Amino acid sequence: MIPATTPLVGFSGKIIWPLGQRSLLVKIGDEEHSTSAWMNFMVVRSPSPYNGIIGRPRVRRIQAVQSTTHGMLKFPVAGGTVTLRSSMIIPLECTMVSGPGVPQPLINQVAEEKIQVAIHPEYPEQTVAIGSTLTEKGRRELCSLLKRNLDIFAWKPADMTGVPRHIAEHMLNIHEGCLPVRQKKRGQAPERNKAIYKEVEKLVDADIMKEVHYHSWLSNPVMVKKITVAEECAWILKT
């Protein structure tokens, strides 16, 4: 991996310093018709719903034409043109980035693409999302497979202990020599304080968190209510 010295700026204005960059030969299409091109990827340590994002320069390189309205991508190959179709989720995300005018029928279609299924009898409130395009037989087989492997999922905070650092490790995205940031402590409403203490106790009991008496950093907690995808889309429309 080649070092990268240029920072990346997200939609929220957050600056992310890449771990490096790597050129990979990317093949797009199917087994019968495809095209290949060398593409330069910036590797970042940041949560994302995508494994990789192809920028406009690389889209031009494969001579592709995309339509967010129809959720389609076309590009020439030897012997014709290949057409790729996406799900309704991708156009919705692109539309939400460009503006708030997302029609309600489109949101309903996206919400219908996922089915919430409870697979653990002891945790019925915790569900997994399964695509609604699966057949009834495929849905039963997938649920059966998940139920046979319940031990690989984390159902409570105590299940997440003992993860090796080479698998998962949290790091602060700061430069060496920067002074610690200490925010002014803000109070919380009584009902929020109760919820915060309840969640903190779960993490402390599971040895995920520990109490620090002389900390150099201070960041106030920000409480966010858990909502469904449909509720989130509706909230975006209102704002």
Side-chain angles (χ1 to χ4, degrees):
M1 190 162 57
I2 303 174
T5 58
T6 303
L8 302 177
V9 182
F11 290 108
S12 63
K14 180 182 177 181
I15 298 177
I16 301 176
W17 290 91
L19 302 177
Q21 54 185 337
R22 185 71 180 270
S23 292
L24 300 174
L25 182 61
V26 178
K27 180 180 178 181
I28 302 176
D30 52 29
E31 295 181 356
E32 297 182 0
H33 304 92
S34 64
T35 184
S36 300
W38 284 95
M39 299 185 182
N40 187 37
F41 290 90
M42 307 293 288
V43 182
V44 297
R45 190 188 299 274
S46 178
S48 173
Y50 310 103
N51 293 326
I53 301 176
I54 300 177
R56 285 174 293 182
R58 300 302 178 259
V59 172
R60 289 197 300 266
R61 175 169 293 184
I62 63 174
Q63 303 179 32
V65 178
Q66 68 271 20
S67 172
T68 55
T69 303
H70 301 92
M72 299 170 61
L73 179 72
K74 291 188 175 184
F75 55 90
V77 296
T81 302
V82 172
T83 301
L84 300 180
R85 294 177 173 84
S86 70
S87 68
M88 295 297 294
I89 296 178
I90 305 303
L92 175 62
E93 292 177 343
C94 296
T95 306
M96 288 190 298
V97 170
S98 61
V102 185
Q104 187 65 31
L106 181 58
I107 295 177
N108 294 336
Q109 293 177 26
V110 173
E112 292 171 358
E113 285 196 0
K114 299 296 181 181
I115 299 176
Q116 301 296 328
V117 179
I119 60 175
H120 200 304
E122 297 181 9
Y123 302 94
E125 72 284 354
Q126 300 186 30
T127 60
V128 296
I130 297 178
S132 60
T133 56
L134 289 174
T135 63
E136 187 65 29
K137 179 181 178 182
R139 196 177 305 165
R140 289 196 304 267
E141 292 179 351
L142 177 57
C143 291
S144 177
L145 174 64
L146 295 174
K147 290 178 180 180
R148 291 197 305 268
N149 297 276
L150 292 177
D151 58 320
I152 68 175
F153 299 99
W155 299 99
K156 57 183 182 297
D159 295 337
M160 296 184 289
T161 59
V163 178
R165 295 181 63 179
H166 69 275
I167 295 179
E169 182 179 8
H170 174 71
M171 297 181 63
L172 295 176
N173 189 18
I174 60 173
H175 288 289
E176 185 177 354
C178 292
L179 296 177
V181 176
R182 298 187 65 180
Q183 296 180 350
K184 183 178 179 181
K185 186 177 180 180
R186 298 194 303 266
Q188 300 284 348
E191 63 275 7
R192 293 193 174 189
N193 261 332
K194 184 177 180 180
I196 291 175
Y197 278 108
K198 182 178 179 181
E199 294 301 319
V200 169
E201 285 180 357
K202 292 181 182 178
L203 299 177
V204 171
D205 293 340
D207 292 330
I208 296 176
M209 293 178 59
K210 65 180 180 179
E211 185 177 0
V212 177
H213 296 279
Y214 303 100
H215 49 261
S216 302
W217 298 81
L218 176 58
S219 178
N220 289 283
V222 178
M223 297 189 66
V224 180
K225 182 181 179 181
K226 293 183 178 179
I227 59 177
T228 63
V229 174
E231 291 173 337
E232 183 178 0
C233 293
W235 181 84
I236 293 175
L237 281 175
K238 293 179 182 179
T239 57

